[in-house]
PDB file of all heavy atoms in Angstrom:
ATOM      1  N   GLY U  58     -14.585 -76.476 -16.291  1.00  0.00           N
ATOM      2  CA  GLY U  58     -14.556 -76.477 -14.806  1.00  0.00           C
ATOM      3  C   GLY U  58     -14.331 -75.073 -14.319  1.00  0.00           C
ATOM      4  O   GLY U  58     -13.936 -74.137 -15.028  1.00  0.00           O
ATOM      5  N   PRO U  59     -14.557 -74.882 -13.006  1.00  0.00           N
ATOM      6  CA  PRO U  59     -14.549 -73.525 -12.441  1.00  0.00           C
ATOM      7  C   PRO U  59     -13.143 -72.860 -12.452  1.00  0.00           C
ATOM      8  O   PRO U  59     -13.073 -71.667 -12.641  1.00  0.00           O
ATOM      9  CB  PRO U  59     -15.019 -73.734 -11.003  1.00  0.00           C
ATOM     10  CG  PRO U  59     -15.084 -75.208 -10.744  1.00  0.00           C
ATOM     11  CD  PRO U  59     -15.011 -75.866 -12.075  1.00  0.00           C
ATOM     12  N   LYS U  62     -12.442 -71.538 -15.968  1.00  0.00           N
ATOM     13  CA  LYS U  62     -13.327 -70.441 -16.267  1.00  0.00           C
ATOM     14  C   LYS U  62     -12.932 -69.172 -15.528  1.00  0.00           C
ATOM     15  O   LYS U  62     -12.976 -68.074 -16.091  1.00  0.00           O
ATOM     16  CB  LYS U  62     -14.804 -70.851 -15.937  1.00  0.00           C
ATOM     17  CG  LYS U  62     -15.304 -71.856 -16.917  1.00  0.00           C
ATOM     18  CD  LYS U  62     -16.774 -72.007 -16.833  1.00  0.00           C
ATOM     19  CE  LYS U  62     -17.199 -73.020 -17.823  1.00  0.00           C
ATOM     20  NZ  LYS U  62     -18.325 -72.744 -18.616  1.00  0.00           N
ATOM     21  N   LEU U  75     -17.119 -60.509 -10.868  1.00  0.00           N
ATOM     22  CA  LEU U  75     -17.869 -61.172 -11.938  1.00  0.00           C
ATOM     23  C   LEU U  75     -17.231 -62.496 -12.382  1.00  0.00           C
ATOM     24  O   LEU U  75     -17.884 -63.435 -12.712  1.00  0.00           O
ATOM     25  CB  LEU U  75     -17.989 -60.214 -13.155  1.00  0.00           C
ATOM     26  CG  LEU U  75     -18.898 -58.990 -12.984  1.00  0.00           C
ATOM     27  CD1 LEU U  75     -18.830 -58.072 -14.194  1.00  0.00           C
ATOM     28  CD2 LEU U  75     -20.303 -59.446 -12.671  1.00  0.00           C
ATOM     29  N   ALA U  76     -15.879 -62.490 -12.395  1.00  0.00           N
ATOM     30  CA  ALA U  76     -15.146 -63.737 -12.745  1.00  0.00           C
ATOM     31  C   ALA U  76     -15.494 -64.823 -11.771  1.00  0.00           C
ATOM     32  O   ALA U  76     -15.705 -65.978 -12.122  1.00  0.00           O
ATOM     33  CB  ALA U  76     -13.651 -63.482 -12.795  1.00  0.00           C
ATOM     34  N   GLY U  77     -15.542 -64.443 -10.442  1.00  0.00           N
ATOM     35  CA  GLY U  77     -15.896 -65.433  -9.445  1.00  0.00           C
ATOM     36  C   GLY U  77     -17.314 -66.013  -9.672  1.00  0.00           C
ATOM     37  O   GLY U  77     -17.539 -67.160  -9.503  1.00  0.00           O
ATOM     38  N   TRP U  78     -18.268 -65.124  -9.993  1.00  0.00           N
ATOM     39  CA  TRP U  78     -19.637 -65.546 -10.270  1.00  0.00           C
ATOM     40  C   TRP U  78     -19.667 -66.487 -11.473  1.00  0.00           C
ATOM     41  O   TRP U  78     -20.348 -67.492 -11.430  1.00  0.00           O
ATOM     42  CB  TRP U  78     -20.560 -64.380 -10.503  1.00  0.00           C
ATOM     43  CG  TRP U  78     -21.021 -63.761  -9.211  1.00  0.00           C
ATOM     44  CD1 TRP U  78     -20.514 -62.582  -8.637  1.00  0.00           C
ATOM     45  CD2 TRP U  78     -21.999 -64.271  -8.321  1.00  0.00           C
ATOM     46  NE1 TRP U  78     -21.176 -62.378  -7.440  1.00  0.00           N
ATOM     47  CE2 TRP U  78     -22.091 -63.397  -7.237  1.00  0.00           C
ATOM     48  CE3 TRP U  78     -22.798 -65.375  -8.341  1.00  0.00           C
ATOM     49  CZ2 TRP U  78     -22.967 -63.591  -6.173  1.00  0.00           C
ATOM     50  CZ3 TRP U  78     -23.736 -65.547  -7.266  1.00  0.00           C
ATOM     51  CH2 TRP U  78     -23.767 -64.697  -6.212  1.00  0.00           C
ATOM     52  N   ALA U  79     -18.896 -66.140 -12.472  1.00  0.00           N
ATOM     53  CA  ALA U  79     -18.873 -67.006 -13.648  1.00  0.00           C
ATOM     54  C   ALA U  79     -18.324 -68.377 -13.343  1.00  0.00           C
ATOM     55  O   ALA U  79     -18.820 -69.397 -13.799  1.00  0.00           O
ATOM     56  CB  ALA U  79     -18.030 -66.357 -14.760  1.00  0.00           C
ATOM     57  N   ALA U  80     -17.276 -68.414 -12.534  1.00  0.00           N
ATOM     58  CA  ALA U  80     -16.664 -69.667 -12.157  1.00  0.00           C
ATOM     59  C   ALA U  80     -17.547 -70.484 -11.257  1.00  0.00           C
ATOM     60  O   ALA U  80     -17.556 -71.733 -11.355  1.00  0.00           O
ATOM     61  CB  ALA U  80     -15.316 -69.395 -11.470  1.00  0.00           C
ATOM     62  N   MET U  81     -18.322 -69.848 -10.364  1.00  0.00           N
ATOM     63  CA  MET U  81     -19.187 -70.566  -9.486  1.00  0.00           C
ATOM     64  C   MET U  81     -20.286 -71.345 -10.255  1.00  0.00           C
ATOM     65  O   MET U  81     -20.808 -72.382  -9.827  1.00  0.00           O
ATOM     66  CB  MET U  81     -19.857 -69.645  -8.500  1.00  0.00           C
ATOM     67  CG  MET U  81     -18.899 -69.238  -7.402  1.00  0.00           C
ATOM     68  SD  MET U  81     -19.605 -68.232  -6.042  1.00  0.00           S
ATOM     69  CE  MET U  81     -21.188 -67.675  -6.580  1.00  0.00           C
ATOM     70  N   GLY U  82     -20.625 -70.846 -11.463  1.00  0.00           N
ATOM     71  CA  GLY U  82     -21.660 -71.510 -12.261  1.00  0.00           C
ATOM     72  C   GLY U  82     -21.174 -72.773 -12.948  1.00  0.00           C
ATOM     73  O   GLY U  82     -22.004 -73.560 -13.430  1.00  0.00           O
ATOM     74  N   ALA U  83     -19.894 -73.004 -12.931  1.00  0.00           N
ATOM     75  CA  ALA U  83     -19.385 -74.156 -13.604  1.00  0.00           C
ATOM     76  C   ALA U  83     -19.380 -75.355 -12.686  1.00  0.00           C
ATOM     77  O   ALA U  83     -18.935 -75.293 -11.512  1.00  0.00           O
ATOM     78  CB  ALA U  83     -17.952 -73.891 -14.089  1.00  0.00           C
ATOM     79  N   THR U  84     -19.847 -76.473 -13.148  1.00  0.00           N
ATOM     80  CA  THR U  84     -19.866 -77.688 -12.314  1.00  0.00           C
ATOM     81  C   THR U  84     -18.564 -78.442 -12.541  1.00  0.00           C
ATOM     82  O   THR U  84     -18.239 -78.790 -13.652  1.00  0.00           O
ATOM     83  CB  THR U  84     -21.047 -78.587 -12.732  1.00  0.00           C
ATOM     84  OG1 THR U  84     -22.244 -77.832 -12.693  1.00  0.00           O
ATOM     85  CG2 THR U  84     -21.134 -79.862 -11.877  1.00  0.00           C
ATOM     86  N   PRO U  85     -17.855 -78.710 -11.453  1.00  0.00           N
ATOM     87  CA  PRO U  85     -16.595 -79.465 -11.589  1.00  0.00           C
ATOM     88  C   PRO U  85     -16.876 -80.934 -11.898  1.00  0.00           C
ATOM     89  O   PRO U  85     -17.883 -81.492 -11.410  1.00  0.00           O
ATOM     90  CB  PRO U  85     -15.866 -79.278 -10.305  1.00  0.00           C
ATOM     91  CG  PRO U  85     -16.958 -78.974  -9.279  1.00  0.00           C
ATOM     92  CD  PRO U  85     -18.081 -78.311 -10.058  1.00  0.00           C
TER      93      PRO U  85
END
Side-chain angles (χ1 to χ4, degrees):
K62 289 194 182 225
L75 291 175
W78 279 102
M81 285 186 344
T84 306

